Amino acid sequence: MAAEGGGKEMNEIKTQFTTREGVYKLLTHSEYSRPNRVPFNSQGSNPVKVSFVNVNDQSGNGDRICFNVGRELYFYIYKGVRKAADLSKPIDKRIYKGTQPTCHDFNPLTATAESVSLLVGFSAGQVQLIDPIKKETSKLFNEERLIDKSRVTCVRWVPGSESLFLVAHSSGSMYLYNVENTCGTTAPHYQLLKQGENYAVHTCKSKSARNPLLRWTVGEGALNEFAFSPDGKFLACASQDGFLRVFGFDAAELHGTMKSYFGGLLCVCWSPDGRYIVAGGEDDLVTVWSFLDCRVIARGHGHKSWVSVVAFDHCTTSVEDGDLPAEFSGSDEDFHEQNHFSAGRDRANSSHSRLSKRNSTDSRPVSVTYRFGSVGQDTQLCLWDLTEDILFPHLPLSRTRTHTNVMSATSPPATGQTPTLSTTTGSGGTNGKDNLSNSSTSGNPTNSLPGTLPRSNSLPHSSNPAGGSTPNSNTGSSNSSSSTTATATTKANSIIDSAFIATSVSKFATLSLHDSRKERHEKDHKRNHSMGHISSKSSDKLNQLSLSKTAKADAAKTLGTTLCPRMEEVPLLEPLVCKKIAHERLTVLIFLEDCLVTACQEGFVCTWARPGKVGLLSSQNNPANSPSGTVV
């Protein structure tokens, strides 16, 4: 749909691409990098990551950006599409010795023009809390590496909390911290709080309050990324063992799981309404998983290598009633109440409930288009549309509605398709076709299934029959109108209270820390590290050994089940856009209100203006002398 050029041009770096909304353009003057603009030699370095925060200052220029390149960490005023980047004046610059920053996260609740709280995770396992405006380092957690010696893979503030944060490590463990507590001078002792299928949650045994409050042990191998649901009540974890696990955060209960087609899962994100989760990883696919049905509803194939980041575009996601169009867009006041720098992860509850109500309680047909994007180690950016013929295959489409997005009415349908429904949707060529998906969000009875499964965006149909996957199409979704907001009502810190009043704890384990474990996890591409290799004689570790053995046996049996359907059993999406946009592997994709932001391993953070949003001044940058940074 957005194909531009071919042949020799396929390997060229693209500076613009076209979707049905218009043309996205790379703003070369809005590129952020190290002040000398020299490409970073990325061999052996941790991925470049980007974090945003809005400090709500009165000047209207309250956006701040943080990114790490090698041993360096930079903090700038982010001018976006409005003005050229001035790299000669970072607000803060830090150079670390002996360890490298791997990830970071701002707390949007406490951010002001005078102070921000920034968490930074490191390759040796420490977590630092810094204020780059005041240029203070307030606290260092896991300083002696007594809690975990392995690399920090993901760090996030708990939504709605000013003091709680969650840290994931390549050991496969997650730890819940409180910024007010110390980490102690000895290794923590744990007692079991909750155990389930290939996961366990422990509390820290201590007479006084200390970190960590909780330890989660999830799956086998590294825990590569986690993401909180928009309402903050659920936690999606992408692990190196190939499993997506979704937990109720307060109760620490497993809600559902999904298995990658092969290899580890590297990234995960939630739709703005919390109904769908997209994961990507070493199978080169993006996989769409339904939160309500707990099953795979679609896969997307466009990348030629591992998928490193997936993110929903909340500004292009839209919803319409059958005869009452109402675009679900960034101009909606629901979204203005929420900080738009959360990359689709932390949406306002009002917008969450709005989509939920439209999808589950309205008896009229509903039209929804979810836009999400992905970037990978193949240096390509892909954009995808998830449309209602994939989401609700058994619902008759409204005869009065002719497009699923206000901006898509002029989009021609893709060629070479055989629609099974009479109404055409103009959403990126995914014409009204049937497939195996959620059919219970309306009161309509399930229609009969076609003999073949669809391929979105003009991919040819498969000749394989639908097979035996239909009985699960309604599983657990009859009460979907309650949505995710009804399943957990306690606040984010209630899990701590429950941790200390648990009465059924019968055993505890001492966390064993060995350097050999760190070395085993240094190569990210290794899969299925068994917990059984950890030398510990505690009963809890022996339990984990037996769990890991059964998990490996189960993994071989997952293909063809609801955990991991075969390729022909679910719809296969084609990307709307698939463009090579960098020379090195891509590590960042963030959707903002007037642009999208990407970054590659060379250390260049690029801003792509949305259609009609190019308001950039043509002023050139003065590559001044590199400012003297703080050597930490």
Side-chain angles (χ1 to χ4, degrees):
M1 183 175 164
E4 297 166 359
K8 294 180 181 178
E9 298 179 7
M10 291 300 289
N11 290 323
E12 291 182 359
I13 305 297
K14 304 298 180 186
T15 57
Q16 66 180 49
F17 56 86
T18 305
T19 66
R20 63 169 182 270
E21 306 97 65
V23 180
Y24 288 74
K25 294 183 179 180
L26 176 65
L27 302 178
T28 54
H29 300 309
S30 292
E31 182 180 86
Y32 287 79
S33 67
R34 297 190 297 172
N36 59 11
R37 294 190 181 275
V38 175
F40 177 68
N41 182 4
S42 61
Q43 295 300 320
S45 292
N46 289 289
V48 173
K49 298 288 186 181
V50 173
S51 296
F52 284 101
V53 71
N54 191 294
V55 298
N56 299 314
D57 67 352
Q58 301 302 314
S59 68
N61 197 23
D63 302 335
R64 302 291 182 267
I65 183 173
C66 171
F67 58 92
N68 60 289
V69 183
R71 298 186 297 117
E72 302 165 13
L73 187 75
Y74 293 94
F75 181 70
Y76 281 97
I77 294 176
Y78 179 70
K79 300 176 182 177
V81 302
R82 298 181 302 278
K83 212 169 183 182
D86 184 2
L87 299 184
S88 65
K89 298 177 182 177
I91 301 175
D92 194 18
K93 172 189 175 184
R94 294 168 187 245
I95 303 175
Y96 294 92
K97 293 180 178 178
T99 185
Q100 294 186 3
T102 59
C103 51
H104 31 82
D105 190 43
F106 288 106
N107 192 331
L109 293 179
T110 60
T112 66
E114 292 77 34
S115 173
V116 293
S117 297
L118 176 66
L119 290 169
V120 185
F122 291 91
S123 55
Q126 304 94 334
V127 178
Q128 196 178 41
L129 175 63
I130 62 177
D131 188 331
I133 296 180
K134 293 181 176 179
K135 295 182 172 53
E136 293 177 355
T137 302
S138 53
K139 279 192 177 178
L140 186 60
F141 302 92
N142 193 28
E143 181 176 7
E144 303 298 325
R145 303 170 68 213
L146 297 171
I147 297 171
D148 201 310
K149 294 182 184 294
S150 65
R151 180 174 55 90
V152 176
T153 56
C154 187
V155 61
R156 293 272 184 272
W157 291 96
V158 174
S161 174
E162 296 185 2
S163 58
L164 299 179
F165 62 93
L166 195 61
V167 182
H169 289 258
S170 60
S171 63
S173 295
M174 280 189 302
Y175 302 91
L176 182 67
Y177 288 82
N178 188 323
V179 295
E180 308 299 332
N181 295 353
T182 62
C183 289
T185 56
T186 58
H189 290 253
Y190 297 98
Q191 61 184 15
L192 185 67
L193 172 65
K194 182 160 291 190
Q195 193 164 17
E197 186 178 350
N198 222 27
Y199 83 97
V201 182
H202 292 80
T203 61
C204 186
K205 287 186 65 176
S206 177
K207 292 182 180 179
S208 58
R210 66 162 285 181
N211 284 318
L213 303 176
L214 291 174
R215 181 188 73 175
W216 297 60
T217 307
V218 181
E220 299 175 17
L223 203 166
N224 290 318
E225 189 178 37
F226 63 83
F228 283 100
S229 62
D231 60 7
K233 294 173 181 175
F234 291 88
L235 184 70
C237 300
S239 296
Q240 191 62 34
D241 62 6
F243 279 90
L244 167 73
R245 296 175 177 88
V246 182
F247 298 95
F249 184 62
D250 289 351
E253 290 183 345
L254 186 64
H255 170 79
T257 59
M258 181 271 287
K259 175 71 170 62
S260 68
Y261 199 67
F262 63 82
L265 286 178
L266 304 177
C267 50
V268 63
C269 67
W270 291 78
S271 64
D273 58 358
R275 288 180 161 262
Y276 302 98
I277 296 172
V278 172
E282 296 174 359
D283 54 9
D284 303 354
L285 302 171
V286 292
T287 303
V288 185
W289 190 79
S290 168
F291 177 84
L292 293 175
D293 291 346
C294 293
R295 63 186 186 85
V296 176
I297 61 168
R299 288 190 180 102
H301 183 241
H303 287 285
K304 300 179 178 68
S305 185
W306 296 356
V307 180
S308 50
V309 184
V310 287
F312 273 87
D313 181 358
H314 55 279
C315 293
T316 313
T317 294
S318 67
V319 59
E320 293 179 25
D321 291 332
D323 53 3
L324 185 63
E327 184 167 0
F328 189 64
S329 69
S331 61
D332 195 289
E333 58 187 23
D334 284 341
F335 281 123
H336 276 299
E337 297 168 5
Q338 182 77 3
N339 178 9
H340 65 271
F341 282 121
S342 47
R345 286 204 175 98
D346 300 322
R347 295 291 120 222
N349 283 340
S350 56
S351 61
H352 171 268
S353 59
R354 179 179 172 204
L355 253 182
S356 299
K357 287 176 183 175
R358 290 186 185 278
N359 280 349
S360 56
T361 61
D362 197 338
S363 60
R364 292 174 298 179
V366 159
S367 167
V368 183
T369 300
Y370 295 87
R371 167 70 58 80
F372 65 94
S374 57
V375 295
Q377 298 195 8
D378 56 359
T379 72
Q380 291 192 138
L381 163 71
C382 291
L383 296 181
W384 314 80
D385 265 3
L386 191 59
T387 50
E388 81 272 17
D389 58 321
I390 300 293
L391 303 173
F392 321 117
H394 311 306
L395 295 182
L397 296 179
S398 167
R399 294 180 182 277
T400 59
R401 184 191 44 74
T402 56
H403 56 90
T404 59
N405 189 303
V406 172
M407 292 180 288
S408 67
T410 59
S411 172
T415 58
Q417 301 185 52
T418 55
T420 58
L421 294 173
S422 58
T423 306
T424 300
T425 70
S427 57
T430 53
N431 289 9
K433 303 184 297 295
D434 209 351
N435 63 17
L436 309 177
S437 183
N438 180 12
S439 62
S440 61
T441 49
S442 171
N444 297 340
T446 304
N447 294 342
S448 59
L449 288 167
T452 59
L453 284 158
R455 291 297 179 265
S456 181
N457 296 339
S458 75
L459 245 163
H461 278 214
S462 165
S463 59
N464 292 311
S469 57
T470 54
N472 293 319
S473 61
N474 268 339
T475 304
S477 54
S478 59
N479 59 351
S480 62
S481 59
S482 62
S483 80
T484 59
T485 55
T487 54
T489 55
T490 53
K491 299 200 174 180
N493 60 357
S494 65
I495 189 169
I496 305 162
D497 302 329
S498 66
F500 291 119
I501 62 174
T503 57
S504 60
V505 175
S506 60
K507 55 193 172 188
F508 67 91
T510 303
L511 178 63
S512 64
L513 293 165
H514 296 277
D515 286 330
S516 60
R517 192 172 182 187
K518 177 194 171 191
E519 292 166 6
R520 283 193 296 108
H521 290 292
E522 281 181 346
K523 294 186 178 181
D524 288 344
H525 65 273
K526 286 190 177 180
R527 303 177 180 84
N528 296 326
H529 298 304
S530 171
M531 296 293 290
H533 292 299
I534 304 168
S535 56
S536 169
K537 295 182 180 179
S538 71
S539 58
D540 189 49
K541 288 295 185 293
L542 292 174
N543 285 342
Q544 296 224 355
L545 170 60
S546 61
L547 277 173
S548 69
K549 286 183 177 178
T550 56
K552 281 191 173 183
D554 292 343
K557 302 174 185 176
T558 55
L559 185 61
T561 67
T562 52
L563 277 178
C564 180
R566 298 182 186 276
M567 291 299 287
E568 65 269 15
E569 290 175 347
V570 294
L572 189 64
L573 305 174
E574 263 198 345
L576 301 173
V577 169
C578 188
K579 298 293 179 187
K580 179 181 174 68
I581 62 169
H583 291 287
E584 275 290 333
R585 62 186 186 272
L586 293 163
T587 57
V588 171
L589 174 63
I590 301 174
F591 289 96
L592 304 181
E593 195 168 309
D594 49 11
C595 60
L596 60 91
V597 176
T598 61
C600 70
Q601 195 55 26
E602 286 185 317
F604 297 116
V605 181
C606 298
T607 298
W608 301 76
R610 291 185 186 269
K613 296 290 186 179
V614 182
L616 186 64
L617 300 177
S618 59
S619 59
Q620 297 288 338
N621 289 310
N622 277 330
N625 293 330
S626 176
S628 59
T630 310
V631 179
V632 183

